[in-house]
Amino acid sequence: MTQSTGIGPEDRKIITLARSARARNGVPEGAAVRDETGRTYVAGTVALASLNLSALQTAVAMAVASGAKSLEAAAVVTEAEAASDADRAAVRDLGGPATPVFVAGPDGELRATVSAG
């Protein structure tokens, strides 16, 4: 992964975790979020007949289910060029509109940083 300017080591860490989840599980997307205590939650895409969640929605759901009160940052590794509106909404629901969402390609290269808002 290229060292991206403007983001710190904790943000690079969640990109790396998201990339690892994508590769390990062979899913279209991997994601990671960091809560207000510094805990991270890592997930991949969920595609079942009865349930479809993006990797970022799954990571946010895992954080909520584990008692997180807010998010500091989120990352998604995807072929897409941008985080979807639904992904940004999930991050915004827990983290607020200013929470950064890092979008990286499968190679881990940071493509964009957007706010959840």
Side-chain angles (χ1 to χ4, degrees):
M1 179 175 83
T2 301
Q3 296 281 337
S4 302
T5 58
I7 65 170
E10 291 300 311
D11 296 332
R12 281 192 289 274
K13 175 182 170 184
I14 61 171
I15 293 170
T16 300
L17 290 169
R19 184 176 182 216
S20 296
R22 181 182 183 271
R24 179 179 57 250
N25 297 322
V27 291
E29 295 181 339
V33 298
R34 184 177 62 248
D35 74 9
E36 75 283 0
T37 68
R39 290 179 297 184
T40 56
Y41 305 88
V42 181
T45 308
V46 174
L48 301 172
S50 63
L51 179 65
N52 286 291
L53 294 172
S54 72
L56 200 46
Q57 290 169 332
T58 305
V60 170
M62 291 173 64
V64 170
S66 296
K69 303 293 184 220
S70 68
L71 296 178
E72 290 182 349
V76 61
V77 173
T78 180
E79 296 275 352
E81 292 298 318
S84 72
D85 290 342
D87 282 351
R88 291 175 50 234
V91 172
R92 183 174 56 246
D93 284 349
L94 187 57
T99 304
V101 178
F102 304 107
V103 181
D107 60 357
E109 181 71 29
L110 182 64
R111 291 183 180 159
T113 303
V114 297
S115 69

